[in-house]
Amino acid sequence: MPVTAGQVVVPDNVSQTATFTQGTNTLPMIIDQIHQPTAFKQRGYDLTKHYAGPRPRGGVHAYRLTITAVDTTLPVTSGYLYNEFLRMVEGHVVAQTHVNLLYAKK
């Protein structure tokens, strides 16, 4: 996400509506177990290509959201993996922060 005047604004559901380059999430193994809902398939929506939120089976789960600021535009291509991202940012990180979040299935 670009930074404007020192701020980044991330709109709700941005990964589902934006046209910026996105990586592949780790949902494929879960999707193999539960199968993608037909409604998503009919709309051409692939759950592995967008952020889909936490997916605990039950109880309260801890998640860590990490924000990384870099000093360059990264050469990402659609569908990049997290380990590829880590290699790309090496030597370019200017700031990083995280927040721990709790989520409970409703």
Side-chain angles (χ1 to χ4, degrees), residues 29-76:
M29 63 184 182
I30 295 170
I31 292 168
D32 285 345
Q33 294 172 7
I34 63 171
H35 305 292
Q36 283 197 56
T38 304
F40 285 118
K41 289 181 181 178
Q42 289 172 344
R43 292 186 308 207
Y45 184 81
D46 184 351
L47 290 175
T48 65
K49 303 296 181 201
H50 304 282
Y51 176 71
R55 295 283 187 254
R57 291 179 183 236
V60 176
H61 292 262
Y63 294 87
R64 176 173 280 199
L65 174 64
T66 302
I67 307 297
T68 304
V70 295
D71 62 1
T72 188
T73 300
L74 299 176
V76 295

